[in-house]
């Protein structure tokens, strides 16, 4: 058996959204991701050594989407959990902190119902 070695230059996530401007503003201003490339209906943000592409033509929800509607969670592992949560709250972001045996997370729901987790 032989293997093909794929040389990955960079990884990324594409998030399709209904209200492109609102979602881009949330991730850039509220979450604090730098916009690497801005375009009409498609922008790329720095995402901790990767990228998060915000693209139009998605479907929004006014509540947290179910796993069937969006089976992906956007996760930010941070060095200082308490500081990150405090900064998000100061920017007007609702963060629901949950403690588990394996660690602590802060749950954030973006304007279109996609789940984000901040992890210690």
């Amino acid at each position: 058996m032989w293997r093909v070695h794929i040389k990955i230059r960079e990884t990324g996530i594409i998030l399709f959204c209904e209200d492109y401007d609102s979602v881009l503003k949330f991730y850039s201003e509220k979450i604090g991701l730098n916009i690497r490339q801005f375009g009409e209906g498609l922008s790329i943000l720095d995402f901790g050594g990767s990228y998060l592409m915000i693209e139009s033509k998605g479907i929004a929800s006014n509540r947290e989407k179910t796993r069937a509607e969006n089976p992906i969670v956007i996760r930010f592992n941070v060095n200082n959990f308490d500081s990150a949560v405090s900064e998000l709250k100061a920017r007007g972001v609702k963060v629901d902190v949950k403690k588990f045996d394996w660690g602590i997370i802060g749950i954030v729901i973006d304007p279109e119902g996609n789940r984000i987790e901040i992890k210690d």
Side-chain angles (χ1 to χ4, degrees):
M1 182 163 115
W2 55 278
R3 292 184 184 176
V4 175
H5 294 283
I6 299 172
K7 296 185 186 217
I8 298 172
R9 181 175 44 86
E10 186 177 31
T11 58
I13 296 172
I14 301 171
L15 182 63
F16 292 96
C17 56
E18 190 171 321
D19 185 347
Y20 170 79
D21 293 327
S22 172
V23 172
L24 180 60
K25 184 175 181 176
F26 177 81
Y27 281 94
S28 62
E29 295 179 12
K30 300 289 185 178
I31 300 297
L33 301 181
N34 292 323
I35 297 174
R36 182 191 304 179
Q37 179 181 334
F38 175 78
E40 188 63 35
L42 188 147
S43 289
I44 300 171
L45 295 89
D46 288 328
F47 186 64
S50 185
Y51 66 84
L52 176 63
M53 183 182 295
I54 305 295
E55 191 169 340
S56 60
K57 299 188 177 135
I59 298 173
S61 175
N62 59 1
R63 54 157 174 75
E64 180 178 352
K65 292 179 182 175
T66 66
R67 288 189 184 198
E69 294 168 320
N70 183 16
I72 294 173
V73 172
I74 296 173
R75 167 77 62 88
F76 296 95
N77 292 350
V78 297
N79 292 328
N80 188 327
F81 180 81
D82 293 332
S83 176
V85 169
S86 293
E87 185 173 335
L88 288 170
K89 287 181 176 181
R91 293 178 184 174
V93 176
K94 182 180 181 245
V95 182
D96 184 18
V97 176
K98 302 279 187 186
K99 295 181 181 182
F100 301 94
D101 292 340
W102 48 263
I104 185 169
I105 60 172
I107 300 168
V108 173
I109 308 302
D110 80 7
E112 298 208 348
N114 300 300
R115 184 178 176 130
I116 302 164
E117 292 179 356
I118 310 302
K119 169 85 172 70
D120 66 339

